[in-house]
Every structure is written in C-alpha cells, then in structure tokens.
Amino acid sequence: MNCELAHERIVAAAYGELPDEQMHELERHMAGCPDCNTEREQLLALKVLAGALPVEEPGANLVARARLRLDEALDALPPRRWYERLGQRITNNFASLQAAPVAACLLLVAGAGAGSLGGYEIAQNRTAHAAAAAQTSRVQPQPAQVTETGTPAPAEIANISSIVRQPNSQMVEVRYNQVVPQRLQGSLDDPAIRQLLMVASQNSASAGVRDDSVGLLAAECRAGRGCQAAGIRDALMVALRYDKNAGVREKALEGLEPYVAEDVRVRNAVLEALLNDGDPRIRTAAINILEPVEADTSVRQVLHTVANSDQNPHIRTVSREVLSRVPEIQ
Amino acid sequence: MNGQKSAQERMQARAPEMELIREAQSGSRAAFDALVRQYEHQVLRLALHLTGSEHDAEDIYQEAFLKAYRYIGNFRFECSFYTWIYRIVTNLCLDQLRRRKTRREDHAVIVDRSGDEIDLLASVSDDRSFSNPAKELDRKLLGEKIQTALDKLTPRERMVFELKHYQGLRLRTIGEMLNTTEETAKNTLFRATKKLRAQLAELR
C-alpha cells in the first residue's frame, strides 16, 4: 500500500467507514510509516477542532415560527383534485400496469362503460331539470326587483366602478361593468349587494373601490350582521393578507377584530399581518387587536419575535408592554 | 438469517410511517402534518448548522416541506422517507450555499467527471502539523475560525462534511441523498478534510 492510498483510508477509518480487511492492511502500513502516523494525528486533531462548532438544537421559537408559516402556506394551497391524485397513482403504478396488459384492457373497458353510463345519466338529468324549470316558471311569478338590473353572476362582472352608500340608510349603490355598464341598488344585507362588494374587495383595479367595499364589509362585520366565516370574513382576510393599499388592509383588520378570539383562521391572519405587514400602523393595530387572546401560545411567540426583531422601536415597545402584562406560562 | 430478521424488524418499525405516507399521498393533510412533526427538528438542525442563520433555516424548512407536500405522490418507497426528505433539504441547502458563495478569485476550481468541484490549490499538500490544537484559544473564537474554514469548502464538500462529521450519516446514505456513489462521497470527504486541515494549520 502506498501512502496516498493510506491517507484516504485513514479518513475513512477515522469516520468508521473502513472495512475490517482494509483496516488490517492499513495498520500494517502504519506500523512502519511515521508520515502516515502524523497524518492520522492531524486528522484526529481536525475532528477535535471541528467539535468547537457544535450542532445546536433548533429553539422552540424557531420551530413554532416555521410551523406557523408552513401551516399558512399549506392552507393557501388549493386541494388536489381526485383526478390529479388518480393520475399520479396511475403514473406511479405504470410499471405494474405494463406488466399486466389484461388489467389495462379491463380498465379501458370499465372506463368506456362508466363513460357511456355517465353520459346517459347526465342526459336524463338534463331532461328532468329542464321539465322542472319550465314548470316552476309557469307556477311562480318572478320576485319584484328592488334593483334596476338583475343579480349578475360574478363571471359576468368586468369590474366595479363605484360604491355609494346613501346617508343615514342601509342603501348602497354599486356601479359595475359588464359588457355594458350596469347599476344595482339594494340594502347592505341584500345577498346580491354583498356578493358585489366581495367581488369589489378583491378584483377591482381601483384602490378607491376596494377601500369602499372593504370599509362597508368591515362595518357589517363589526356590527355583527351576517359576517359568516366562509363569506365576508374570508374576503376580509384576503384583503388583509394581499391588498396592496394599506388603508384597505387597515379597514379589513378592523372588520376582523370581533372574530379574533373565536376564529383561529382570523387569528392566524392577524398574526401574519403583525409579522409581515410593511406598514407599522397595521402592525401596531394588530397588536392591539390581539390583546384579548394574548395568552395564546402562538400569539405570545409572535409577540416575542416582534418585540425582539421588529424594525420599528415603537412596535417593539408596545409588544413588550403587552407581553409584560401577561403572566408567563410555566 | 440475522440479516433477514433485522430487515424484517426494520420494515415492521417503518410500517406506521409507510401508512402515514400512503395517507398523505391520498391527500390527508393530517398525515402529512404528522410526517412534518417527525422530521422537522432534523431538517431545522441541519439547515441551521449549514447556513448559520435562523432566517435561512426557516426558509429552507418552508420550501422543503412545501416541495415534499407537492411531490409526495412521486415517492415510491424505493428509499426511506428519511433519505427522500433529506435529499430535498440537501438540494435546497446546496442552492443556498452556492448563492452565498462569494467569488473566489484566488482559487482554481475545476469540475471532475462526477460533477464535483475540485479546488486545485487546496489539494496541494500542506506539511504543517497541529498535534495539540486550540488549547489556549477561546472556544467561540475557535468556532468562528472553523466556520470560516468550512465556508471555504465547495458547497458539495461542505455538505458531505456536514452530513458525515456533524450529522453522523453513513457515506452510503450520503451518496444516495446527493445522487452520487458512496465512493464519490468518500473522495469528497477526503478532499474536504484535507482542505480543512490546510485552512486550520495555523491553529496548531
């Protein structure tokens, strides 16, 4: 064995990766080679030195922060559709399908059968629905429209051009564009008006329209009028997270305030704003809103982070004050 | 016989995890969360030690598990889930190390046939020795010197040294994680130790 090979084997041996027979050979070489003995000493010294940079366990705060961020990101991902999962499974099992051509043929026949049956069912359903709809239109008169136009489907709306609330009333006028401009007038609790306001809060190119719509939706939420988790509340959370205009985000935050204690999704959105929002006003408002739930572990962790690392000294101070009022959880 | 038995035991020990993976592949978020909980400490520990930054470690954690979630359907049980997730993490860490690496004008780097970077100057032998290291040096200062020496390795050498020396993984596993052979991993480890010794020779 030459010294070059011995040096490589010394490294392998030092890390427990040298097979026994090679170890024996190496020991024989080392017995008569002072250079290789020095090499081994140097390597062992390096191992000792490298120990001066110990591997540390990640802190609880880091783990909690990372989890929170990951949960948010996973929540935001759209769920995979059944056919995507099926496609992936078929791709995974492609090798076995190749090995079983009979199974593949059977699958094809079953697919064709299911397709024909499905087509037949759909055709029957359509006929039945058409008959039922015809009957309904004959029997029931259309409800009286409060509005100048009917309720538009969201897909028909090009954009929202303006929102005006009549003074001292529940009436709101929303102007929106379809192929031709339209106008809809109705009460704030009218589902059609609400639907338009929600569209306006997210899709409008105009910050003014978003501001008006989010302001009205937030006021409804603060008044406790029909602020369902899956409707207006979601729209406000989207505005808080993604709207480019700080005024709109601030209004959304105000609207979510009553739900921060009862709805964990709202709490997470507010925590996210506290950690990430670029506007110090919003971060400060988020701290105040979180006060009722300040003893919550995740809230405390975020407050700790903000108290230590927020670039704004006022926010750091406010966070510390809030934390100092909460007794430590043992 | 013993080998067969231990393989069987290993399979039995891995059965609950395999079940979790299958559930996650069928779209169960709870199963995926359970897998995250199982590996998150190891992922953060590796990323934190490699990058030396909590912020970077957090980004790597986030990106690694999002990738795992997106591609878990492609996992075919050909290796352990541990190896699979580490492969994702090590790739992200390598990208991070490469981004961070400043231009080294005083080093001549070539790429060998296996795709590994070799630093020609650092492979010249160094005859200085240090048999009694760091007796009087403050541990923190020493840690910084080690960090500086580690930063001078190529990203791949840094990764192999990290996985072997600090995380204690087998060279065979390291080879699997880095999509290379055990032999290449061994050669990379050898080069890494040689360079580190040259860098740290002054501390004798």
Side-chain angles (χ1 to χ4, degrees), chain B residues 32-46:
Chain B
F32 184 77
D33 284 346
L35 287 169
V36 171
R37 300 287 176 271
Q38 211 159 306
Y39 289 101
E40 63 183 356
H41 277 87
Q42 294 168 59
V43 167
L44 275 175
R45 192 167 52 219
L46 173 65

Side-chain angles (χ1 to χ4, degrees), chain A residues 158-308:
Chain A
N159 58 30
I160 310 288
S161 49
S162 76
I163 298 166
V164 180
R165 181 179 185 172
Q166 289 177 8
N168 303 321
S169 89
Q170 283 283 300
M171 300 303 284
V172 179
E173 183 183 283
V174 179
R175 284 172 188 268
Y176 63 97
N177 295 322
Q178 291 182 294
V179 180
V180 288
Q182 301 277 357
R183 193 160 65 93
L184 179 66
Q185 198 173 14
S187 165
L188 262 173
D189 51 15
D190 183 336
I193 288 285
R194 285 187 166 215
Q195 190 187 18
L196 281 174
L197 291 177
M198 283 194 277
V199 171
S201 75
Q202 287 164 33
N203 293 340
S204 178
S206 155
V209 169
R210 290 201 311 276
D211 192 62
D212 289 339
S213 59
V214 169
L216 286 170
L217 291 173
E220 285 293 283
C221 275
R222 286 183 73 84
R225 283 195 291 265
C227 187
Q228 289 89 357
I232 298 182
R233 222 181 288 171
D234 271 347
L236 292 181
M237 282 192 276
V238 170
L240 174 62
R241 281 192 171 112
Y242 304 114
D243 203 290
K244 289 175 192 160
N245 186 297
V248 177
R249 296 201 302 275
E250 197 173 11
K251 283 184 178 168
L253 187 63
E254 285 168 8
L256 290 170
E257 184 176 357
Y259 306 97
V260 79
E262 70 181 57
D263 188 342
V264 74
R265 292 180 320 125
V266 170
R267 199 179 312 161
N268 285 342
V270 175
L271 285 174
E272 217 173 276
L274 173 56
L275 274 175
N276 302 328
D277 201 290
D279 192 310
R281 275 181 312 145
I282 309 247
R283 299 205 300 277
T284 312
I287 294 175
N288 295 331
I289 284 176
L290 286 167
E291 283 200 34
V293 285
E294 61 205 4
D296 180 293
T297 318
S298 57
V299 174
R300 287 174 54 76
Q301 273 161 357
V302 173
L303 283 172
H304 267 300
T305 307
V306 173
N308 289 329

Side-chain angles (χ1 to χ4, degrees), chain A residues 1 4 51 61 126 199 201 234 273 312 316:
Chain A
M1 181 192 290
E4 200 181 334
N61 268 350
R126 261 196 203 148
V199 171
S201 75
D234 271 347
N312 186 309
R316 290 199 302 269

Side-chain angles (χ1 to χ4, degrees), chain A residues 280-285 287-288 306-307 310-322:
Chain A
R281 275 181 312 145
I282 309 247
R283 299 205 300 277
T284 312
I287 294 175
N288 295 331
V306 173
D310 198 287
Q311 56 198 8
N312 186 309
H314 172 67
I315 291 177
R316 290 199 302 269
T317 314
V318 175
S319 308
R320 281 193 201 110
E321 280 170 8
V322 172

Side-chain angles (χ1 to χ4, degrees), chain A residues 4 7-9 11-12 15-19 22 38-39 41-43 45-59 62-63 65-67 69-75 77-80 85 88-89 91-92, chain B residues 24-27 29 32 36-37 40-41 44-45 48-49 54 58-59 61-62 65-66 69 73-74 76 128-131 133-134 139 142-143 146-147 150 161 164-166 169-171 182 186-187 189-190 193 196-197 200:
Chain A
E4 200 181 334
H7 290 177
E8 285 180 21
R9 290 191 176 173
V11 175
Y15 285 103
E17 296 272 0
L18 196 66
Q22 290 182 9
T38 314
E39 181 80 10
E41 274 177 32
Q42 289 182 2
L43 185 73
L46 170 68
K47 285 188 77 180
V48 174
L49 271 177
L53 191 72
V55 180
E56 284 168 3
E57 282 300 313
L62 174 61
V63 177
R65 219 167 45 227
R67 264 187 204 171
R69 237 181 97 192
L70 179 66
D71 283 345
E72 293 285 346
L74 288 173
D75 285 344
L77 288 178
R80 277 191 301 169
R85 290 204 297 272
Q88 201 157 42
R89 196 165 282 187
T91 314
N92 283 355
Chain B
Q25 286 179 326
S26 321
R29 172 73 188 279
F32 184 77
V36 171
R37 300 287 176 271
E40 63 183 356
H41 277 87
L44 275 175
R45 192 167 52 219
L48 193 58
H49 196 255
E54 283 203 353
E58 207 181 312
D59 284 350
Y61 170 102
Q62 168 94 346
F65 283 119
L66 279 178
Y69 184 76
N74 296 347
R76 295 181 199 174
R128 288 172 291 180
S129 67
F130 47 98
S131 56
R139 197 169 175 79
L142 185 58
I146 306 284
Q147 186 66 64
L150 287 170
F161 189 76
K164 182 71 232 179
H165 183 90
Y166 290 109
L169 302 185
R170 305 291 301 169
L171 283 172
E182 180 179 354
K186 192 159 83 179
N187 290 338
L189 175 69
F190 177 63
T193 55
L196 284 173
R197 279 167 42 202
L200 299 169

